[in-house]
Amino acid sequence: MAKVAVMGLGVVGSGVMKKLTDNQDVITRAAGQPVELVYGLDIRPTEMPLGATFTSTFEDVLGMDIVVECIGGAGVAYANTKRLLEAGVSVVTSNKELVSDHGDELLALARANGCHYLFEASVGGGVPILRPIRTCLSGNRISRIEGIVNGSTNYLLTRMDELGMSFPAALSEAKELGYVEANPAADVDGWDARRKLQILAFAAFGARLGGSEHIPTEGISRVTERDLACARSLGCAVKLIAHGERKGNGWTGWVHPSLLSANHPLQQVRDVFNGIMVQGDFVGEVAFRGRGAGSLPTASAIVGDLIEIARGAADMPEPLNVPEYVEQGMDPVQLMVRIEADDLDSAHAYVAGQMPNARVSRVKDMLCLVTHAALYDDLISMIASLSQGQIRTGVPIRII
């Protein structure tokens, strides 16, 4: 029998306890042994499922086989996870901040103490992605991984695009529905997607965990419904994309609002759904899609990790030849930019003169600029130079 405790009994922790209770027969069959919920640990008393005990004493869970960490953040969760792994207790988590910032250290602790540290739910919520890469696709050399990995921002962009809502209005609605936190910065500024990209790079390329701040990141806080109108005029949609790819013996990546054409596999990933594309040398392109957040989808991924540990299939070997992150290289890109001006005809002529190889079209009371292909930093400089007098430029949208 595998004895389990859940640490942190909020939305996700409660979902894990529900799944362990409601699907006990299914989980036992999959694990090859009973998986018993023994404790729920929190600072506030919480109603527990039949047969499980509430505790506020951390030492109670040190005797478990597996502990699910649902505290969040990198403070108490980090300290408690370290103590558990040092005691030889396996830990399963959905905590992308902790995994992204301290995953290498915690994985090393798990290996040293004969236990496991698994985090399938840290990327994609209920969408299986890390385990398939580690198992089903493990014989492939993965060259690229990219996708929509933040359901909150995808919801905001969907509402802005389909209903013409402003960013503040869509954000207010998302807060009421519980799709974003009271402080939405981690989502809308792209930090959450950046952390998840770091974890995906670990799975896909064998990269290190930690130091995700080196990844160039542009969130959606400056995107407006008018940018989305420009995208629609081109038959495209805007999504916040996290992109990683191999570069020689290293890897590179970015997080950025991106323009997706109608035939792009991720264009129709709407609402709070996530979608991730993986390119392998033997398998080709593989797509993963599903609910990227929520109590029960996240609990599904967590319990999958629990089962993997319980049936003895959770070994994660130490990666060899760890690829280092390299800065964005010399690959040319294209950008779409919204341009507004009091005199659109004069602005059109001026922009066309400054960027003669670009394409400029009129969309209602604004201009839509599609740049020529060039280095990203060079294009950003050119766009910045356009903002003069009555000409105003929007946030650059990367075309993929």
Side-chain angles (χ1 to χ4, degrees):
M1 176 182 293
K3 296 183 294 182
V4 175
V6 178
M7 189 166 61
L9 305 181
V11 173
V12 174
S14 297
V16 173
M17 292 197 300
K18 176 176 175 57
K19 187 168 179 64
L20 287 172
T21 304
D22 292 357
N23 285 15
Q24 191 173 45
D25 57 335
V26 176
I27 294 167
T28 295
R29 184 172 66 248
Q33 62 172 314
V35 177
E36 180 185 358
L37 174 63
V38 179
Y39 286 114
L41 171 67
D42 209 316
I43 58 174
R44 292 176 296 276
T46 300
E47 185 177 352
M48 299 296 296
L50 184 66
T53 302
F54 171 82
T55 182
S56 58
T57 304
F58 174 76
E59 284 70 20
D60 287 341
V61 305
L62 284 171
M64 299 295 99
D65 298 305
I66 310 167
V67 172
V68 178
E69 184 271 299
C70 296
I71 297 172
V76 173
Y78 172 61
N80 286 359
T81 298
K82 279 189 68 175
R83 287 186 63 188
L84 288 163
L85 295 175
E86 287 168 347
V89 180
S90 293
V91 177
V92 172
T93 187
S94 61
N95 188 341
K96 63 263 184 183
E97 180 179 353
L98 184 56
V99 174
S100 174
D101 292 352
H102 300 286
D104 281 347
E105 176 193 358
L106 297 174
L107 282 168
L109 267 179
R111 295 187 191 102
N113 292 285
C115 55
H116 304 285
Y117 184 57
L118 296 186
F119 38 86
E120 175 65 55
S122 65
V123 179
V127 182
I129 182 65
L130 303 182
R131 190 178 302 112
I133 291 174
R134 192 174 77 247
T135 56
C136 307
L137 303 179
S138 58
N140 282 259
R141 180 179 297 276
I142 295 175
S143 58
R144 177 176 53 84
I145 188 164
E146 69 180 10
I148 300 164
V149 296
N150 183 279
S152 301
T153 52
N154 204 40
Y155 178 83
L156 295 174
L157 291 171
T158 298
R159 301 297 280 176
M160 291 166 66
D161 188 32
E162 296 182 358
L163 298 181
M165 296 177 72
S166 68
F167 178 82
L171 183 60
S172 176
E173 180 185 80
K175 285 181 179 179
E176 290 177 7
L177 295 171
Y179 291 155
V180 297
E181 301 292 339
N183 180 357
D187 291 322
V188 301
D189 290 334
W191 308 336
D192 177 83
R194 183 176 68 192
R195 289 176 178 132
K196 291 173 179 175
L197 177 58
Q198 183 83 43
I199 298 169
L200 287 170
F202 164 82
F205 313 132
R208 300 179 191 280
L209 290 166
S212 65
E213 63 275 2
H214 56 248
I215 299 172
T217 301
E218 174 74 55
I220 67 163
S221 58
R222 295 197 294 141
V223 175
T224 73
E225 67 276 17
R226 293 171 68 78
D227 295 307
L228 305 188
C230 278
R232 282 196 304 275
S233 75
L234 301 173
C236 299
V238 176
K239 304 288 183 181
L240 183 65
I241 296 294
H243 172 96
E245 63 181 291
R246 286 187 183 271
K247 280 292 182 183
N249 294 323
W251 77 281
T252 192
W254 45 262
V255 173
H256 206 284
S258 301
L259 194 73
L260 277 61
S261 64
N263 61 0
H264 195 287
L266 296 175
Q267 207 225 55
Q268 296 303 314
V269 178
R270 304 174 54 260
D271 208 61
V272 295
F273 280 72
N274 282 192
I276 302 170
M277 311 293 298
V278 180
Q279 182 75 40
D281 57 350
F282 274 58
V283 75
E285 193 170 67
V286 182
F288 299 83
R289 181 182 182 275
R291 290 194 174 274
S295 173
L296 299 182
T298 304
S300 174
I302 287 172
V303 172
D305 279 347
L306 287 173
I307 291 169
E308 191 174 3
I309 292 171
R311 68 183 180 198
D315 286 339
M316 192 181 295
E318 189 169 359
L320 303 175
N321 303 318
V322 177
E324 297 294 338
Y325 182 85
V326 296
E327 297 296 329
Q328 292 185 65
M330 304 299 288
D331 294 334
V333 302
Q334 284 184 280
L335 301 175
M336 183 202 80
V337 187
R338 166 179 51 89
I339 295 178
E340 299 184 72
D342 296 337
D343 184 345
L344 280 183
D345 290 334
S346 296
H348 194 157
Y350 177 77
V351 171
Q354 294 297 307
M355 300 181 72
N357 295 321
R359 179 159 55 97
V360 186
S361 57
R362 185 159 180 167
V363 180
K364 298 181 179 178
D365 58 345
M366 55 188 166
L367 299 176
C368 178
L369 166 68
V370 175
T371 73
H372 59 287
L375 299 184
Y376 179 85
D377 288 346
D378 291 345
L379 289 177
I380 293 297
S381 296
M382 292 180 197
I383 291 166
S385 70
L386 296 177
S387 294
Q388 52 83 38
Q390 298 299 314
I391 296 179
R392 303 172 295 279
T393 58
V395 60
I397 310 292
R398 185 185 286 257
I399 299 175
I400 63 173

